[in-house]
């Protein structure tokens, strides 16, 4: 049986877009690694909590937050997901994009996620946040 990488990645992305953390957790191995610029998280619970906390923070500090994503096949047959966050606060709009590469085990579960900041995106979203009077948590 072959693993459909793009199908699994689309389910992963859709779960995050819909903030369906139960569906997300079902796609992760128990010892999944999530490599971010701030460090590596290990485990289904820690990773799911990280995504949930980021969304909770955004919705607590920004009036309108909408998520969308796009999935493509990357190098070595892994999936690359572009996450697109549409932000609006007091009439000011901003779109932030990042990418995450997901790696699947032989059973079709995500065992590793690597976050990639796209050039200029982090700086632009930080500028947007400062402009609306919000600072990111350290």
């Amino acid at each position: 049986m072959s693993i459909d990488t793009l199908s699994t990645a689309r389910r992963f992305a859709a779960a995050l877009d819909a903030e369906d953390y139960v569906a997300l957790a079902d796609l992760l191995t128990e010892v999944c690694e999530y490599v971010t610029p701030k460090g590596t998280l290990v485990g289904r619970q820690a990773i799911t909590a990280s995504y949930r906390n980021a969304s909770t923070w955004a919705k607590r500090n920004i009036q309108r937050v909408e998520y969308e994503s796009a999935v493509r096949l990357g190098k070595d047959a892994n999936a690359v997901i572009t996450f697109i966050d549409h932000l609006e606060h007091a009439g000011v709009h901003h779109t932030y994009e990042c990418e995450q590469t997901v790696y699947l085990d032989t059973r079709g579960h995500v065992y590793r996620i690597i976050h990639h900041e796209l050039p200029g995106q982090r700086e632009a979203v930080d500028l947007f946040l400062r402009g609306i009077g919000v600072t990111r948590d350290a």
Side-chain angles (χ1 to χ4, degrees):
M1 177 170 94
S2 70
I3 297 168
D4 186 346
T5 300
L6 288 178
S7 175
T8 300
R10 285 184 188 108
R11 290 193 333 262
F12 179 93
L16 282 172
D17 290 344
E19 299 178 86
D20 184 347
Y21 302 109
V22 172
L24 176 68
D26 287 344
L27 294 169
L28 305 177
T29 65
E30 188 60 44
V31 293
C32 184
E33 293 181 337
Y34 178 26
V35 181
T36 76
K38 293 182 180 181
T40 300
L41 297 171
V42 178
R44 181 183 295 141
Q45 287 184 322
I47 294 166
T48 303
S50 173
Y51 284 119
R52 180 185 294 115
N53 291 344
S55 183
T56 298
W57 181 90
K59 290 185 173 192
R60 186 177 63 236
N61 288 283
I62 301 168
Q63 291 172 340
R64 188 175 69 80
V65 178
E66 292 180 9
Y67 303 116
E68 79 174 279
S69 56
V71 178
R72 71 179 191 280
L73 204 55
K75 295 178 184 175
D76 302 324
N78 295 304
V80 177
I81 304 168
T82 302
F83 289 104
I84 306 155
D85 300 350
H86 301 281
L87 313 172
E88 179 185 353
H89 192 88
V92 179
H93 298 264
H94 182 75
T95 301
Y96 165 77
E97 294 185 23
C98 67
E99 291 185 340
Q100 294 183 3
T101 304
V102 295
Y103 298 82
L104 304 184
D105 66 12
T106 57
R107 297 177 315 143
H109 289 91
V110 177
Y111 74 88
R112 186 174 181 127
I113 307 157
I114 300 180
H115 180 93
H116 307 279
E117 289 291 345
L118 299 175
Q121 289 290 308
R122 177 57 56 194
E123 296 82 4
V125 78
D126 286 346
L127 185 62
F128 164 76
L129 292 172
R130 281 194 304 275
I132 64 170
V134 173
T135 56
R136 284 192 302 140
D137 301 331

